[in-house]
Amino acid sequence: MDRNAGNAFYFPDNVPLYGRDTYERLQEENVPASVTTVINMRPFITPPRDHLIWSIFSFLYMNFCCLGCMALTFSVKARDRKVIGDMEGARHYASTAKCLNITTLTLTLLTVIIFVILVFAGVIFFPHL
């Protein structure tokens, strides 16, 4: 045979030997014929969102009456509950953090809008500007 024949030539040590069972199977003692394993799986529950990034933003930029700090605390609690597997507790804390973030955002925007209206109405006057 020609070694330059391409893929048609195989060396004897690379060819699997089919049909040549020269080994003897080992028998295990005292093992039942069929062994089954049962895995109980819980249904997949989507983890609740903890709103941590929103709470950090509320804490740093819009900490109206310390509501941003409270939202951040509840977000961290929600993340901790999610890590230990208590999804109902995590959902409760995440819902509270979301409400606090919405309240902080609403009150901060309302304060800014009222301030801008008062500046344009002339009620608040800045003499050096």
Side-chain angles (χ1 to χ4, degrees):
M1 290 190 161
D2 187 17
R3 288 186 176 258
N4 297 329
N7 293 333
F9 182 74
Y10 296 104
F11 293 106
D13 55 342
N14 293 335
V15 177
L17 302 175
Y18 295 108
R20 298 178 99 192
D21 292 324
T22 58
Y23 59 90
E24 180 181 331
R25 288 188 175 261
L26 297 175
Q27 298 293 327
E28 296 182 19
E29 298 177 9
N30 300 327
V31 176
S34 66
V35 178
T36 59
T37 303
V38 177
I39 300 174
N40 294 325
M41 298 181 67
R42 294 182 283 174
F44 180 72
I45 300 172
T46 58
R49 299 179 63 182
D50 53 10
H51 308 288
L52 185 66
I53 302 298
W54 189 9
S55 298
I56 290 172
F57 181 78
S58 294
F59 176 68
L60 293 177
Y61 296 110
M62 303 181 295
N63 198 9
F64 189 85
C65 295
C66 293
L67 290 176
C69 181
M70 290 172 49
L72 182 62
T73 303
F74 277 99
S75 292
V76 170
K77 283 183 176 185
R79 179 158 290 190
D80 289 343
R81 291 291 179 158
K82 187 168 55 172
V83 167
I84 63 172
D86 181 15
M87 294 302 162
E88 190 59 37
R91 191 169 286 112
H92 173 70
Y93 283 125
S95 173
T96 305
K98 182 179 178 181
C99 291
L100 288 171
N101 281 323
I102 290 171
T103 305
T104 302
L105 179 65
T106 304
L107 290 175
T108 302
L109 288 178
L110 189 63
T111 303
V112 169
I113 289 170
I114 289 173
F115 183 75
V116 169
I117 289 172
L118 291 176
V119 167
F120 281 121
V123 176
I124 300 176
F125 180 69
F126 296 110
H128 298 293
L129 291 179

